[in-house]
Amino acid sequence: MPKLTIRDIAQLAGLSKSTVSLVLNNSPKVDPATRDRVLEVMRSHNYTPSTAATALAKGRTPFIGMIVPGLTWHMVAAVNWGVASVIEQSPYEIILYTSTNEKDYSSLVERIRASGLSAGLLVVTHDQALDPLEKLHRTGLPVVLVNTLGTPSTLPSVQADNYEGTRTALRHLLDLGHTRIACVQGLMTYVCCQERYRGYLDGLAEAGIDPDPELTVEGSFHPPTIRERVTELLARRDRPTAIVAHNDNTAYAVMQAVIDCGLRVPQDVSVVGFDDIASSADTHPPLTTVRQPFPEMGKAAARLLLETIDGATGDAGPARMSTSLIVRESTARAAKKPHRRARPPAVGPDTPPRTWSGLGPNVSRTS
């Protein structure tokens, strides 16, 4: 059966549509007998009023829109949990939209604006031009960014402190006696990677160590390419004794390259990641990494958006949330005498890993 409308309920009750609307809005203008009559018709016909329609009739929009790059991204679930824990305590509900970074999202933003259902918009880990979102924000629909990858913006946002997180990782390695510390970058078009690299350079400078350009490996978040380039780095006579990676998946590829070279983690090369995704506690050895507070970022972004909707805050710019270093078994004191393997292996982008299996091409579970 087609879903009943307010007009249908009015006809069944023998009343006007406006009277039914008053009942739905709990208006004191309706006498108790009429109210009971309408409610009985609704119950007998299993009528459920539209949340959106009721809210719009009251002159407000009932939803918070949320754009995510995909539901399988490692951090999306954690951010969503944080957002939901705040929004469920408010009068709003969440509409979830997915938009990959490979597809222009301008038409999606326009549909959200045209629908008029969203009181505000959260945008998670996005890497596209921000012009459509900035325009939307200027027209009066509040927008808050969460962990955005692309160009800087004046839009309100919640980000992890990528710079300080990497400096903390550097201090940990320096305290362990490492002075030859390499950095495997991510995509340097991402602001977060630029901040992490700046933290790496400043961490070395603060220790009085001149950064060696040969110890910076241009990355792409592509594991086979990372393994090839790290293998070349480890073939050097003055190879690094520690490597900082721009995210955990990159760190997994680094650890695989170390094993491919006949070296050991952490006895010969210490490795640090960034993110602390769930699998990082299960690698062999477990990965030392910088934890991003994804649930807390979701909570902070949701609160900021609700405050902006209520007019309690202006354009606040980025809010930086503290990271924490999770020390596990992939880092150790620098060896006094570096271990040498007999000869460098031949490793290319298509060379299969030699020892790890179970969590993808580069990771294994501990027993």
Side-chain angles (χ1 to χ4, degrees), residues 11-332:
Q11 290 177 348
L12 289 167
L15 299 166
S16 67
K17 180 181 174 181
S18 60
T19 300
V20 175
S21 295
L22 290 173
V23 172
L24 292 175
N25 289 304
N26 295 315
S27 172
K29 298 178 180 179
V30 182
D31 66 83
T34 301
R35 183 185 306 279
D36 291 343
R37 183 176 169 185
V38 171
L39 293 177
E40 178 57 33
V41 171
M42 291 169 58
R43 280 193 295 268
S44 64
H45 290 81
N46 297 316
Y47 173 77
T48 302
S50 165
T51 302
T54 302
L56 288 170
K58 294 179 179 179
R60 68 173 180 84
T61 49
F63 296 110
I64 296 296
M66 189 171 176
I67 300 179
V68 299
L71 299 179
T72 59
W73 277 44
H74 65 266
M75 44 75 69
V76 166
V79 172
N80 284 357
W81 182 89
V83 170
S85 66
V86 172
I87 298 301
E88 67 185 9
Q89 304 300 321
S90 77
Y92 298 98
E93 296 182 24
I94 298 172
I95 302 180
L96 196 62
Y97 304 91
T98 58
S99 175
T100 64
N101 287 323
E102 289 74 30
K103 183 178 179 180
D104 189 335
Y105 72 130
S106 299
S107 59
L108 171 61
V109 173
E110 176 56 27
R111 290 199 303 274
I112 293 171
R113 184 203 64 77
S115 72
L117 291 177
S118 295
L121 186 64
L122 291 168
V123 184
V124 182
T125 311
H126 208 62
D127 180 29
Q128 291 196 41
L130 295 174
D131 295 352
L133 296 177
E134 291 172 343
K135 179 180 179 181
L136 193 66
H137 191 73
R138 287 195 300 269
T139 61
L141 183 68
V143 177
V144 172
L145 309 178
V146 190
N147 199 48
T148 303
L149 301 173
T151 56
S153 172
T154 58
L155 288 170
S157 67
V158 175
Q159 311 283 347
D161 193 336
N162 296 286
Y163 172 78
E164 189 57 39
T166 307
R167 284 182 62 210
T168 300
L170 260 290
R171 285 194 293 269
H172 169 65
L173 293 172
L174 291 163
D175 289 344
L176 291 173
H178 296 279
T179 56
R180 295 282 296 168
I181 304 173
C183 177
V184 180
Q185 299 174 330
L187 292 173
M188 292 305 288
T189 55
Y190 290 176
V191 174
C192 62
C193 292
Q194 296 168 18
E195 293 173 344
R196 290 171 196 177
Y197 188 56
R198 187 165 56 89
Y200 163 78
L201 294 175
D202 287 356
L204 292 177
E206 289 166 6
I209 300 173
D210 292 330
D212 183 349
E214 297 294 328
L215 294 182
T216 294
V217 176
E218 294 183 3
S220 59
F221 294 139
H222 184 237
T225 302
I226 294 165
R227 286 172 46 215
E228 180 181 19
R229 292 175 179 172
V230 172
T231 297
E232 294 171 355
L233 177 67
L234 295 175
R236 296 169 53 98
R237 179 169 294 276
D238 56 348
R239 63 170 174 80
T241 63
I243 299 176
V244 174
H246 272 189
N247 73 0
D248 285 358
N249 284 315
T250 297
Y252 302 161
V254 170
M255 293 168 77
Q256 183 62 61
V258 173
I259 291 174
D260 287 342
C261 289
L263 299 170
R264 302 162 297 170
V265 178
Q267 295 91 335
D268 303 310
V269 182
S270 288
V271 179
V272 179
F274 203 110
D275 284 341
D276 193 30
I277 61 179
S279 55
S280 293
D282 295 328
T283 58
H284 183 70
L287 180 66
T288 294
T289 184
V290 178
R291 174 177 292 169
Q292 294 203 63
F294 293 125
E296 291 75 15
M297 290 165 68
K299 290 180 182 179
R303 293 190 189 105
L304 179 58
L305 184 62
L306 292 176
E307 290 171 359
T308 305
I309 292 170
D310 292 339
T313 183
D315 291 346
R320 301 288 179 186
M321 300 199 68
S322 297
T323 58
S324 53
L325 182 68
I326 308 301
V327 178
R328 299 192 180 103
E329 297 170 26
S330 68
T331 52

